[in-house]
Structure formats: C-alpha cells, structure tokens
Amino acid sequence: MNNDQQLQEIIKLSVELNTIQDLDFLLEKILLEARIFLSSDAGSIQIKEKDELIFSHVQTESIQRKLPPGQKLMYTTFRTKINHNSISGYVAATGEIVNIPDAYNIRADAPYRFDSTNDKKTGYVTRSILSIPLKTNRNEVMGVMQIINAVRPDENGSNSTGGIGSFNARDEQLALHFANSASMVLQRARMTRDLILRMISMAELRDPKETGPHVNRVASLSVELYERWAHRKGIPEPEIEHNRDILRMAAMLHDVGKVGISDLILKKPARFTEEEFCIMKSHTWIGAKLFNHMHSEFDEMASLVALNHHENWDGSGYPGYIDIETGDLMNACVDDKIEGKKGEEIPVYGRIVALADVYDALSSKRVYKEPWTQEDVLKEIKKDSGKKFDPELVDIFMENYEYFASIARRYPEE
C-alpha cells in the first residue's frame, strides 16, 4: 500500500468512526483499527481526567487468540497520575509522540521509564511501543493511545511466526494522521457522553442509587449480554455492532424517569404504601415519554428500555401496556387491574437491562444495605430465571459470569 492509499484508508476509517455514537464503543473501535492499520499485537487507550490517566481499553491479539471461541479478554481499568516518569504520562504531559524500539532498553537519559509490572503479572513481553497523544481541536491532550509490539512479516512475507519488530518514522506519521482524525470524532462522542451523564446527575440528585458508576456498569453488562444473545440468534455482525452502540447509551438512561418522582417517595426510608409504589412505578413511562418524539434510533431504544426494564418474564412486572403520553392506566395499578407484559412481549432490550440492573443493584453497596455476596447474587438470579428474567439471558449470564463480573469491576464507586 503506497502513501496515497494509506491516507485514503485513514479517511475511510474516519468516516466509519463517525457512524459510532457511544464513547466506549468508539474507543474500542479506534484502538482496534489503529492496531490493524499499524500491524501491531496489542494496545491501550488512556483518557485524561484532570491530572490522571484512566486506562479504559486494552487489547492483546496474541492472548485473545488463545481463548475459547466467543470468550473475551478480561482486564481491569486503573488510574495513574500524569507525570514524566511513565511513558504515557510523559506523552500526556508534553503532547509529544514517543517511539520506543525496545521497552527494556530505553536510553538512560530518557525522561520516562517503562513499568514492567504488568508484563510480570501476565507473562506478556512488551517490546516496541508507539505512544501517541490524542488532542482536541484546541491542541489540548485528551488522552493517549499506545500501540504495542509491531508485528513484522518473516522472510517469506508471512506473519505466521509472529515476529516483533519496531515502529518506523512512517508509522509515526500515519499514527498521528489517524489520531488527529479519531480525536475529532472522539470529542463529539465525549460531548454526547457528558450530556447523558448530566441527565443522570439530575436523577442522582433525586435518587442516590443512580450513580455514574452504576449506570456505566449496567450499560456495559447490557451490551455484552446483547452481543452474546445476538450471536445465538444469528444476527449479522454489522447489525450487532450498530445495536450495541445505541444500546449502551440507552441503558445508561434506564432510570432517568425518576426525575419526575417526588423526593418524599424516592428518599422515603420506610416501605412504600401501595399508592406510593404505584407512583414510583410511573418512572418507567415518564422516562419513556422523554424520548417519545422520536428523531433517531437512539430515541426509540431509550424509550423502550426506560419503559420495559421493570417488566417480568412471567407477567408480574410493570407498567404493562400503557399510554406513555398520559399514563392513564397507572391509576388502576393499586387495584391490580394492570397485567405486565410477558415473555417475548417484552422487548429484548428491556429484558437485558432488567437483568443487568438487578445484578448490579444486588452486588453494590447502598445506604440501606451492604453488597450481597456473589454466591447469593447468583442464587437469586437463578431462582428468578423464568419468573423475573428471560431464562435464555440467565443461561448466557451464567455461562459468561466471570467476564461479566470483570466488567463490573471496571467502574468502582468513586
């Protein structure tokens, strides 16, 4: 591929990235495409937040290939202070690209050092590193992308031996072009995420359970559940990726309707009366109503999730079939005249978020309770299979439990 073809490929990738709306999905895609484009085995993206870098996405192809089909690489996120000691910290502080041929032989007068702790834990050997700043249109560093271990073909032109080489000056230029294009899309996605988090903050002011980490955990669990369910159903990969992107944002807003519930009910320390519980149930259709004038697929999915995430597989949930513009039938719920939707009458996105939401609520500490043990949480979910939850989704959850638990740990309470 010549220079012009490579630049055209970067433009093509930029157009593709522009179709992605969710920040986390976009970061994952940026890292994947950068690794493929630069022929590398591994990489990470770290997002800048005040004086820290948050390691948000990690990929290692050589380890991923060793996992059973359908299984994903587990990793943990962490924060590190921005300073000149670490490679990514130096790039974040200076805005300079850093190209290291051998991480274990960095020159003595370099201002940064390679931390081999993770290599020792995993057995992975880091050699070449290309660390690229992600900058806003005002030239401010918003994060760092690290591309690790350039995979170079053997003398037969094959990558079968997995030979690790170094990144050259041309790789640096291409990486900067790609980073500049990706950063513009990333800014847009961050603004969208900030708007969603502001909406959630309004709900959090009313209901302390609706924290940023909680909704991030619910959203992340929901997209992973959906992906595995969709593969079982034979849904094409492009459709899965498209729906995952929208679902993550919609799932974050599952309880946004609580902004319309009185503090006297939301913050009541005692058990609700029937009338109060009836009012509390209305947060489902109030949330759905926020997105009722639909201008996009996101509006449609956010409305579906808000309305249906308290429906139960056996029909014992709420709000059932209801006019979300008026909520007319809510007045009948005290007299038990409303039946919830049953089974596959409940949209799959509502069924998915219901399971993710309950798992996280039981696993998390609240002002009124300690977190349940994971053993007790799993017993409760199994017990409610076919009652509260879609039994197929429970099976998927149990089969992939260790990975789902690792996702939840990426978003600890602050």
Side-chain angles (χ1 to χ4, degrees), residues 123-155:
Y124 188 78
V125 180
T126 301
R127 289 299 179 194
S128 50
I129 301 173
L130 189 58
S131 197
I132 311 115
L134 300 170
K135 297 181 180 181
T136 68
N137 52 15
R138 294 192 297 180
N139 210 37
E140 297 170 347
V141 175
M142 61 192 298
V144 176
M145 179 167 62
Q146 284 202 150
I147 307 300
I148 296 169
N149 283 356
V151 179
R152 295 298 178 243
D154 57 27
E155 56 188 18

Side-chain angles (χ1 to χ4, degrees), residues 146-327:
Q146 284 202 150
I147 307 300
I148 296 169
N149 283 356
V151 179
R152 295 298 178 243
D154 57 27
E155 56 188 18
N156 298 318
S158 167
N159 287 337
S160 59
T161 59
I164 302 301
S166 57
F167 298 99
N168 57 35
R170 181 60 183 163
D171 292 327
E172 292 182 32
Q173 292 177 350
L174 292 171
L176 283 172
H177 278 299
F178 182 83
N180 288 338
S181 298
S183 293
M184 288 188 285
V185 183
L186 201 51
Q187 278 183 267
R188 183 259 302 157
R190 286 193 77 174
M191 285 190 288
T192 302
R193 174 63 63 83
D194 287 345
L195 285 171
I196 290 173
L197 288 175
R198 286 189 186 105
M199 291 181 73
I200 292 164
S201 294
M202 288 190 292
E204 186 179 348
L205 289 172
R206 313 297 309 287
D207 184 355
K209 297 188 293 296
E210 294 308 304
T211 65
H214 166 67
V215 296
N216 268 308
R217 291 191 297 265
V218 170
S220 296
L221 290 166
S222 294
V223 294
E224 294 298 335
L225 269 170
Y226 167 74
E227 184 175 359
R228 285 160 176 77
W229 173 88
H231 280 137
R232 280 193 176 197
K233 301 300 182 185
I235 294 173
E237 195 64 38
E239 185 178 342
I240 293 174
E241 288 200 6
H242 178 71
N243 291 337
R244 283 182 70 220
D245 179 31
I246 303 170
L247 176 59
R248 197 182 193 289
M249 295 187 297
M252 291 181 76
L253 292 165
H254 64 280
D255 269 340
V256 72
K258 287 182 178 178
V259 297
I261 306 298
S262 165
D263 281 354
L264 294 175
I265 294 174
L266 274 181
K267 298 181 180 179
K268 183 180 177 180
R271 181 182 290 273
F272 293 146
T273 65
E274 287 189 53
E275 290 80 6
E276 288 169 339
F277 187 44
C278 182
I279 294 169
M280 184 63 183
K281 290 177 180 180
S282 70
H283 81 274
T284 53
W285 63 266
I286 290 172
K289 187 176 179 180
L290 290 171
F291 305 100
N292 201 31
H293 299 291
M294 296 175 187
H295 300 290
S296 67
E297 290 176 275
F298 166 69
D299 289 335
E300 182 178 1
M301 193 179 292
S303 183
L304 281 175
V305 167
L307 185 64
N308 293 286
H309 73 283
H310 280 294
E311 298 286 4
N312 294 338
W313 185 257
D314 64 2
S316 63
Y318 62 88
Y321 289 96
I322 189 167
D323 183 345
I324 62 176
E325 278 293 338
T326 64

Side-chain angles (χ1 to χ4, degrees), residues 42-58:
S44 68
I45 284 189
Q46 303 122 55
I47 296 300
K48 184 179 179 183
E49 192 172 285
K50 296 180 180 177
D51 63 343
E52 293 183 317
L53 284 175
I54 304 171
F55 280 66
S56 60
H57 289 77
V58 176

